[in-house]
Amino acid sequence: MELSSLSIREIHRLITKKEISTQELVERYLKKIEKENPEINAFLEVFKEESIKQAQEIDRKIQKGEEISILEGIPVAIKDNILVADKRCTAGSKILENYIAPYDATVVRKLKEKGAIVVGKTNLDEFAIGSSGEFSAYGATRNPKNLEYVPGGSSSGSAAAVAANMVPVALGSDTGGSVRQPASFCGIIGFKPTYGLVSRFGLIAMSSSLDQIGPLGKNVEDVKIIYEAIKGEDEMDSTTVSFLQKQTKERLEEVKIGIPKEYFARGINPKVKEIIEDRIKDLELSGASIEEVSLPHTDYALATYYIVMTAEVSSNLARYDGIKYGKSLSGSDRVQNLLDVYLETRKEFLGEEVKRRIMLGTYCLSVGYYDAYYLQAQKVRTLIKEDFERAFQKVDFLLTPTSPTPPFKLGERLENPLTMYMADILTASVNLAGLPAISLSAGEVDKLPVGLQLIGPAFSENFLLSIAQLAQRIWT
Amino acid sequence: MLSEKDVLNVSKLARINLSKEEKEKMRKDLTLILDYVAKIRELNLKDVMPTLHTLRIKNKTREDETRKQNVSFKKKLIGLAPQKENGYIKIKSVFKDR
């Protein structure tokens, strides 16, 4: 039995048929973590004993002949900006090094209630701010496909853990591509649901009008099972809704896929472009109709994203002030008054990139610049959203590369912040418009994974996931 | 190019003290990023409404009533504060004459 080939459904079959015990299965994953994690640095913490104990309980249920549900005994990793009760939650930051989560995030509670085993917390760029995993205060995560390369970010640990078979599935969060882009870099699948369909209660907020929790896995069905387990309206997150469009088309022959020409323009690595075009041809041969479309404001999307996101970051991260929780210099000689506590605590415990984004967001919201930057960006956001709405009047889905390049080398983009920001150029508009999108594995360039992004209209997840499943079947 | 004064002003507003080296690097980086994002200013958006939120939903409110929490949960929350006393979070005094 190879861990790499195990889907949730296969694990469920193996443990219910008693071909392997849940304990044995969980121990095999834990061993894999023990062996690989020192090099990959995907996990910040692993809950070994509790995981084994929980597995034993499920085995007792199976022994007694009780039925178990599909998620029972499935090991899941959780990005360390999502709260797991009574466990440390650092968000990849020094400022939360000593923070113990007082409650479960809604998504974690739902997974636990369905019997999934939370085996550990995964590494991330500090406060989910970054596109390579290198901005974690606890060391960079490495790409399991090639240790010299970044795994993408900010859900770097979750993507690497799944790709290295340390867990079958994991949760991440996606503000401008943080689930899809690392999935693409690690050769796995990452799904960002429509804004509002999954509760963010217990997710450490980065940019509240953009943040969304989503699953990562090795096949579309696994990702779908996790998504269905965590979705739904939640009274603790007032932005959640429960609404889904009806799926009207079942077969690829009925589906119209739009290719936004702006996403294949300059800046796309030619080899990435070639692979995506091959996959488009595959879909066409399988009966899907392909049509070129235009999203005319694409060129403004990244700039818009970096204004809206940093503005919200500056506001959300104001809570790390050394007063309510986390590390603080309030008792130190360095501070004389309350203002000093804020100024010095944040100087000491926040990382460079986080400071940069707080500063940028503060600037864009400050007197004299608000209209020129923040308000202007929110208006461009309307145009970007309307571009998508117009395109979806003509086609069912849009298909693009997930990232303009294959994974880059560790350290390669640390010097110039703008080159790092470019990694989000094909994913961020989706968050600005609140749409669902999935990154599927499309192939490899020089033995490095390349991902493909399918974007759907708001609330089209059922349709999107079933088409993604059909597409993945064609390609593998 | 942002001035040193600009950076100092923003760092005050953002409640982050910066070292001398950080200030210089920040000035350079913020200028670079602002030059890039300024491209949205070339669009004429006089009649465009801003999108603050992608879902067109109404505010959801709940009853204005106290919710009972058990004492141990309250202790847990207060316990996370760096400085506390008698079940309260402790901060430096905010009035000058104290």
Side-chain angles (χ1 to χ4, degrees), chain A residues 3-54:
Chain A
L3 291 180
S4 59
S5 65
L6 286 185
S7 64
I8 291 178
R9 202 165 289 284
E10 178 65 4
I11 294 173
H12 182 69
R13 192 189 66 81
L14 288 171
I15 59 178
T16 46
K17 299 278 179 221
K18 297 180 196 163
E19 284 179 34
I20 183 172
S21 71
T22 315
Q23 181 177 349
E24 219 181 311
L25 177 102
V26 168
E27 280 172 350
R28 288 196 56 172
Y29 279 109
L30 290 170
K31 257 192 207 127
K32 186 82 178 161
I33 296 172
E34 243 164 62
K35 188 169 158 251
E36 307 270 358
N37 200 53
E39 216 165 27
I40 294 174
N41 199 24
F43 279 90
L44 294 177
E45 199 173 350
V46 179
F47 315 131
K48 191 176 168 185
E49 277 163 33
E50 288 156 275
S51 299
I52 292 172
K53 223 167 124 191
Q54 206 185 330

Side-chain angles (χ1 to χ4, degrees), chain A residues 397-465:
Chain A
F397 299 109
L398 298 170
L399 190 156
T400 76
T402 308
S403 158
T405 66
F408 44 92
K409 279 196 169 157
L410 286 152
E412 198 179 288
R413 298 199 184 182
L414 288 177
E415 238 350 271
N416 179 338
L418 266 186
T419 59
M420 184 70 88
Y421 297 176
M422 291 300 157
D424 302 332
I425 198 156
L426 304 180
T427 44
S429 344
V430 166
N431 299 71
L432 288 170
L435 305 174
I438 188 166
S439 177
L440 302 169
S441 146
E444 287 186 346
V445 166
D446 307 326
K447 293 187 179 159
L448 292 167
V450 170
L452 168 158
Q453 175 174 237
L454 273 180
I455 308 167
F459 305 110
S460 67
E461 357 283 285
N462 287 345
F463 191 14
L464 177 65
L465 289 169

Side-chain angles (χ1 to χ4, degrees), chain A residues 86 240 299-300 323-325 343-344 346-347 352 355-356 359 376 378-379 382 385 416 432, chain B residues 10 14-15 17 22 25 29 32 39-43 45 48-49 51 54 60 76 80-82:
Chain A
D86 303 319
T240 52
D299 210 22
Y300 299 98
I323 303 292
K324 300 177 289 295
Y325 34 63
L343 293 168
E344 287 297 312
R346 289 157 71 79
K347 175 188 181 177
E352 187 189 343
K355 285 179 186 165
R356 195 152 44 223
M359 292 278 291
Q376 180 83 354
Q378 296 288 47
K379 287 180 176 177
T382 304
K385 196 168 173 246
N416 179 338
L432 288 170
Chain B
V10 176
R15 300 284 191 257
N17 270 350
E22 276 181 314
K25 176 113 200 319
D29 288 348
L32 184 77
K39 73 154 96 179
I40 65 162
R41 298 173 67 177
E42 71 196 38
L43 291 166
L45 305 174
V48 180
M49 291 291 286
T51 295
T54 55
K60 283 190 219 170
K76 226 189 226 184
L80 288 166

Side-chain angles (χ1 to χ4, degrees), chain B residues 48-92:
Chain B
V48 180
M49 291 291 286
T51 295
L52 303 171
H53 216 265
T54 55
L55 294 172
R56 293 192 184 99
I57 50 170
K58 285 189 186 150
N59 278 342
K60 283 190 219 170
T61 53
R62 54 182 183 230
E63 290 303 308
D64 182 15
E65 56 192 11
T66 53
R67 292 187 168 189
K68 285 236 162 70
Q69 285 289 3
N70 59 38
V71 180
S72 67
F73 189 66
K74 190 184 152 197
K75 270 191 183 156
K76 226 189 226 184
L77 291 179
I78 302 290
L80 288 166
Q83 295 200 300
K84 57 242 160 200
E85 208 172 291
N86 301 327
Y88 291 96
I89 293 173
K90 191 178 158 188
I91 61 164
K92 294 218 178 289

Side-chain angles (χ1 to χ4, degrees), chain A residues 172-184:
Chain A
S173 64
D174 190 315
T175 302
S178 281
V179 163
R180 290 160 286 152
Q181 185 255 17
S184 162

